[in-house]
């Protein structure tokens, strides 16, 4: 089976003569005696994470943070010691990864998953924290078989629904694909086995076919003075093949890009020339030419795609791109370390849905900021995630994410859960510690509100709440409370009594009311034939007492009808 091209992974120097080597020594000592579930010494894990970060061309601080990322959480070495030995930057990154580890995902509808992804960015505050976490997750997924089944499922689900999409958003297509592929057998074991059986033979025969026509393609390009930097084959990943099959009646013969040609050329012009040459060789299938160079995908993916009617009546997909596009497609924002961004004239006016707007923001920001050669300090500064600076993301103990304005308090949080939770809130815990109700929340905080029945909001809350939702509901609750307070003294009940009229009947009824110690606020009477309709207002809202009174009045034989209402 052909493999997808991966970056070379230079080894991490492990001798103590460099800062990275010293970090390795330090981590090895801290984790001494610890074993992974697989039985290997624990240090193999942070070492693998650091190697991945190096392969992504990340900076020294990130690689060191990769080596040290589990030291604070798993060995009890205080963060201050990391800070003293390796500096503020490394300590900040390690702390960020520790904070991300607090966020756990057990599956939810898509909007909640999206909020959780945003929260990851907000909590990390520096994209390098996300990169370290992604490298950590990649190695954990590669070694997932050693864990107990329940844990495998949870981690695979979290990877599939949170981390792989984050990699996609960052344009790290290779990582996105590998994470989905690693999760697939754990999430859908039966479907995975079925597909593996189906695809393996197909892969082999299609690859053999492409290899056969490769010299023809190569020769034709050269004849037109296009010197391809590389022509290789891209096998569709199992997870993405499965998704595609779902839309094609599970018929693998309808999947034209199971194995595709990937042609790397030198310039953008060469991409279009190569496309023309391919189309002269074999006619394209209608509707299958995709120009992601002029119109990149929302995550920044750029390439030309076409499917042609190839020899022996078989369909063949070609993907054509420059080396720079290729590197960016595979490694996304991380690739900005390697290539300086070219100015792209006439960027396509893409329809950006609300859902992907923040991703677009991320891309634009990366394009605007990430020019490593220019000024390394400025470049690192630009890794700070500041596009969520007006929002914070906090999480309930159940794992629901709430997106609030910066400086929100537990009271704001409570009103966002439910107005009743807000109204009856008496205390709050943040990350398991009690805090005052006007405490300012931060991204990543786990917030819990303690409620008490019949508790009402305090007017003081209006002084510190940040959201209009909370403010409006507090005001509404205060208004209702005041009304009730007034009501206990002044609200009234109106009796409606229909009686056969006779002299003195009103006086008799008034007598009964007086005996029961009610104050009469007003009386209205209406004559209707032989009947008298009385409306008597009493200064009370006590239903029980009113009902007792009604029973007494009913004993008068003239009473035809009696009822009451609060006014
Ligand atoms: Mn780890």
């Amino acid at each position: 089976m052909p493999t997808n091209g991966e970056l070379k992974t230079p080894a991490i120097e492990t001798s103590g003569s460099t800062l990275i080597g010293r970090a390795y020594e330090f981590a090895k000592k801290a984790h001494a005696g610890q074993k992974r579930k697989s039985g290997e010494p624990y240090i193999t894990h942070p070492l693998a994470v650091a190697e991945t970060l190096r392969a992504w061309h990340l900076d020294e601080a990130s690689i060191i943070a990769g080596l040290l990322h589990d030291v604070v959480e798993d060995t009890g070495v205080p963060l201050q010691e990391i800070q003293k030995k390796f500096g503020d930057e490394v300590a900040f990154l390690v702390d960020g990864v520790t904070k991300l580890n607090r966020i756990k995902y057990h599956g939810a509808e898509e909007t909640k998953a999206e909020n959780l992804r945003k929260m990851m960015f907000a909590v990390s505050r520096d994209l390098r924290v996300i990169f370290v976490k992604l490298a950590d997750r990649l190695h954990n997924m590669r070694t997932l078989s050693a864990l107990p089944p329940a844990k495998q499922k949870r981690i695979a689900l979290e990877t599939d629904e949170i981390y792989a999409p984050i990699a996609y958003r960052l344009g790290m297509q290779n990582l996105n694909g590998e994470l989905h592929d690693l999760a697939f057998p754990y999430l859908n074991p039966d479907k995975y086995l079925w597909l593996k059986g189906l695809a393996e033979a197909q892969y082999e025969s299609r690859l053999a076919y492409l290899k056969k026509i490769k010299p023809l393609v190569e020769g034709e390009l050269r004849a037109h003075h296009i010197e391809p930097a590389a022509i290789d084959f891209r096998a569709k990943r199992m997870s993405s093949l499965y998704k595609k099959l779902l839309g094609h009646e599970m018929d693998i013969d309808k999947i034209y890009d199971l194995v595709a040609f990937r042609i790397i050329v030198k310039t953008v012009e060469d991409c279009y020339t190569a496309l023309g040459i391919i189309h002269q060789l074999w006619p394209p299938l209608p509707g299958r030419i995709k120009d992601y160079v002029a119109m990149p995908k929302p995550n920044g993916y750029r390439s030309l795609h076409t499917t042609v009617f190839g020899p022996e009546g078989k369909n063949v997909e070609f993907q054509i791109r420059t080396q720079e596009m290729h590197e960016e497609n595979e490694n996304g924002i991380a690739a900005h370390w390697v290539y300086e961004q070219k100015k792209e004239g006439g960027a396509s006016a893409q329809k950006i849905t609300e859902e992907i707007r923040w991703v677009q923001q991320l891309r634009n920001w990366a394009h605007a900021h990430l020019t490593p050669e220019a000024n390394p300090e400025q470049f690192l500064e630009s890794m700070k995630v500041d596009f969520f600076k007006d929002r914070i993301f906090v999480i309930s103990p159940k794992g629901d994410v709430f997106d609030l304005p910066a400086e929100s308090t537990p009271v704001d949080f409570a009103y966002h859960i439910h107005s009743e939770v807000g109204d009856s809130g008496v205390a709050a815990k943040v990350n398991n510690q009690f805090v005052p109700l006007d405490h300012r929340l931060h991204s990543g905080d786990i917030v819990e509100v303690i409620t008490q029945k019949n508790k009402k909001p305090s007017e003081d809350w209006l002084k510190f709440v940040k959201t209009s939702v909370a403010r409006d509901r507090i005001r509404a609750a205060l208004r209702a409370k005041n009304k009730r307070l007034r009501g206990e003294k002044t609200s009234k009940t109106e009796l409606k009594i229909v009686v056969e009229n006779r002299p003195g009947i009103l006086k008799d009824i008034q007598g009964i009311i007086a005996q029961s110690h009610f104050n009469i606020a007003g009386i209205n009477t209406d004559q209707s034939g032989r009947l008298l309709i009385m409306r008597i207002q009493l200064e009370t809202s006590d239903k029980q007492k009113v009902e007792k009174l009604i029973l007494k009045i009913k004993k008068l034989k003239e009473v035809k009808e009696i009822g009451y209402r609060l006014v």
Side-chain angles (χ1 to χ4, degrees):
M1 202 180 290
T3 54
N4 289 277
E6 271 192 31
L7 291 165
K8 272 178 250 113
T9 306
I12 295 293
E13 58 272 30
T14 51
S15 86
S17 60
T18 64
L19 199 56
I20 289 177
R22 281 212 294 284
Y24 171 79
E25 288 297 336
F26 184 81
K28 196 175 168 189
K29 223 167 146 188
H31 289 294
Q34 292 182 343
K35 291 228 153 59
R36 301 205 86 215
K37 285 277 185 301
S38 62
E40 287 176 293
Y42 197 88
I43 189 66
T44 55
H45 167 64
L47 186 61
V49 171
E51 277 167 355
T52 297
L53 292 164
R54 157 131 327 151
W56 292 343
H57 306 291
L58 285 164
D59 66 335
E60 189 180 58
S62 307
I63 292 165
I64 294 174
L67 287 167
L68 303 176
H69 81 274
D70 278 331
V71 161
V72 174
E73 223 182 350
D74 294 350
T75 75
V77 169
L79 190 66
Q80 290 89 316
E81 197 175 335
I82 306 259
Q83 197 170 12
K84 241 190 259 157
K85 288 203 161 75
F86 301 98
D88 290 345
E89 204 180 354
V90 169
F92 173 82
L93 296 177
V94 170
D95 190 41
V97 176
T98 309
K99 280 183 181 141
L100 285 186
N101 288 343
R102 281 211 300 253
I103 305 169
K104 296 259 188 312
Y105 178 75
H106 299 271
E109 61 264 39
E110 176 52 27
T111 49
K112 283 189 184 171
E114 179 71 356
N115 266 341
L116 196 72
R117 287 175 213 129
K118 284 185 193 170
M119 181 182 185
M120 294 276 186
F121 281 98
V123 169
S124 70
R125 291 168 59 210
D126 187 313
L127 278 186
R128 291 175 298 169
V129 172
I130 296 266
F131 291 136
V132 176
K133 185 66 201 161
L134 286 170
D136 175 43
R137 180 49 59 103
L138 177 62
H139 188 249
N140 285 337
M141 285 304 292
R142 282 174 173 168
T143 53
L144 196 61
S145 60
L147 293 189
K151 233 174 168 187
Q152 287 175 341
K153 266 249 153 71
R154 192 194 73 75
I155 292 173
L157 183 73
E158 189 175 75
T159 301
D160 203 58
E161 295 187 357
I162 303 295
Y163 287 102
I166 283 177
Y168 180 82
R169 299 296 161 77
L170 292 170
M172 303 168 86
Q173 174 161 282
N174 220 8
L175 178 65
N176 167 61
E178 186 171 356
L179 290 177
H180 279 309
D181 255 17
L182 288 165
F184 186 26
Y186 295 99
L187 296 177
N188 285 305
D190 301 341
K191 284 159 187 157
Y192 173 76
L193 283 177
W194 167 79
L195 187 60
K196 199 165 171 264
L198 179 71
E200 249 164 20
Q202 286 274 350
Y203 274 129
E204 290 306 320
S205 73
R206 293 211 197 177
L207 185 62
Y209 168 75
L210 294 190
K211 278 183 174 162
K212 210 164 73 188
I213 62 176
K214 183 182 170 187
L216 188 57
V217 174
E218 216 166 357
E220 205 64 21
L221 290 173
R222 291 227 167 86
H224 291 81
H225 312 291
I226 301 285
E227 190 61 45
I231 299 182
D232 54 22
F233 312 103
R234 187 291 270 129
K236 199 162 192 64
R237 289 182 181 276
M238 295 284 264
S239 54
S240 90
L241 173 59
Y242 184 74
K243 269 172 212 150
K244 202 159 188 177
L245 279 170
L246 289 174
H248 291 82
E249 292 122 35
M250 302 316 268
D251 182 355
I252 201 161
D253 290 330
K254 291 188 178 138
I255 310 298
Y256 305 141
D257 64 341
L258 188 64
V259 186
F261 267 112
R262 186 170 279 166
I263 301 177
I264 311 284
V265 293
K266 292 195 182 82
T267 65
V268 176
E269 292 71 43
D270 284 357
C271 291
Y272 289 101
T273 309
L275 184 74
I277 294 164
I278 306 285
H279 286 167
Q280 274 173 16
L281 269 176
W282 301 293
L285 262 73
R288 302 271 313 180
I289 305 169
K290 305 218 173 87
D291 187 347
Y292 297 122
V293 174
M295 300 254 288
K297 286 190 186 180
N299 74 342
Y301 177 87
R302 289 183 300 159
S303 187
L304 298 177
H305 290 192
T306 186
T307 305
V308 301
F309 295 104
E312 301 163 37
K314 288 183 183 164
N315 297 320
V316 190
E317 180 171 309
F318 286 87
Q319 303 178 348
I320 307 163
R321 57 186 66 169
T322 65
Q323 185 64 39
E324 181 183 338
M325 290 177 204
H326 181 59
E327 183 80 23
E328 264 199 67
N329 291 347
E330 297 291 297
N331 295 303
I333 286 177
H336 288 258
W337 263 272
V338 192
Y339 289 95
E340 225 177 343
Q341 275 310 284
K342 274 201 222 155
K343 294 271 176 297
E344 279 174 59
S348 57
Q350 269 174 336
K351 267 193 185 165
I352 301 163
T353 63
E354 197 53 46
E355 189 198 334
I356 60 155
R357 197 181 295 276
W358 69 276
V359 183
Q360 198 72 24
Q361 225 177 337
L362 188 70
R363 293 292 306 182
N364 291 343
W365 162 85
H367 277 255
H369 288 83
L370 302 190
T371 49
E373 285 82 357
N375 178 347
E377 262 164 52
Q378 198 184 347
F379 174 61
L380 286 180
E381 185 62 27
S382 71
M383 290 308 286
K384 302 220 172 80
V385 177
D386 62 356
F387 39 83
F388 290 129
K389 65 172 181 286
D390 301 333
R391 308 294 297 175
I392 56 163
F393 295 86
V394 298
I395 192 164
S396 73
K398 276 190 211 153
D400 292 333
V401 176
F402 292 82
D403 170 1
L404 298 167
E407 302 209 302
S408 287
T409 64
V411 173
D412 293 292
F413 172 79
Y415 277 104
H416 274 76
I417 296 178
H418 197 281
S419 56
E420 271 175 32
V421 177
D423 286 347
S424 55
V426 286
K429 278 180 172 183
V430 168
N431 304 325
N432 242 350
Q433 305 280 322
F434 277 103
V435 295
L437 287 174
D438 63 353
H439 176 84
R440 300 288 171 202
L441 299 173
H442 297 284
S443 272
D445 283 348
I446 300 168
V447 189
E448 191 180 344
V449 176
I450 291 108
T451 59
Q452 198 178 75
K453 235 183 162 185
N454 300 323
K455 174 78 176 49
K456 297 294 169 225
S458 151
E459 199 158 359
D460 290 345
W461 293 0
L462 289 170
K463 290 180 197 145
F464 60 73
V465 291
K466 205 70 192 169
T467 55
S468 54
V469 174
R471 200 172 305 119
D472 292 351
R473 286 181 185 165
I474 292 167
R475 285 198 183 122
L478 289 173
R479 271 199 301 275
K481 185 170 140 193
N482 289 336
K483 222 172 162 182
R484 261 192 317 278
L485 285 174
R486 281 195 306 274
E488 274 158 31
K489 289 177 222 133
T490 64
S491 89
K492 297 182 184 77
T493 303
E494 186 182 86
L495 294 176
K496 185 186 173 194
I497 311 166
V498 182
V499 291
E500 269 182 39
N501 205 356
R502 68 159 167 87
I505 181 76
L506 181 61
K507 218 167 175 145
D508 289 351
I509 289 173
Q510 275 178 290
I512 297 168
I513 292 170
Q515 271 170 20
S516 301
H517 309 290
F518 285 107
N519 292 322
I520 294 175
I523 300 178
N524 269 301
T525 57
D526 245 340
Q527 189 79 32
S528 164
R530 295 180 46 161
L531 297 178
L532 184 70
I533 302 156
M534 286 183 262
R535 287 191 172 84
I536 304 173
Q537 293 203 340
L538 306 174
E539 280 182 359
T540 185
S541 58
D542 189 328
K543 278 183 173 182
Q544 281 183 326
K545 282 170 84 179
V546 170
E547 273 161 9
K548 275 186 193 161
L549 173 67
I550 285 175
L551 290 176
K552 286 182 190 165
I553 297 172
K554 264 187 178 168
K555 286 179 183 163
L556 293 171
K557 62 179 188 335
E558 290 85 356
V559 172
K560 299 290 165 201
E561 213 185 297
I562 184 163
Y564 74 96
R565 64 185 179 105
L566 292 167
V567 290

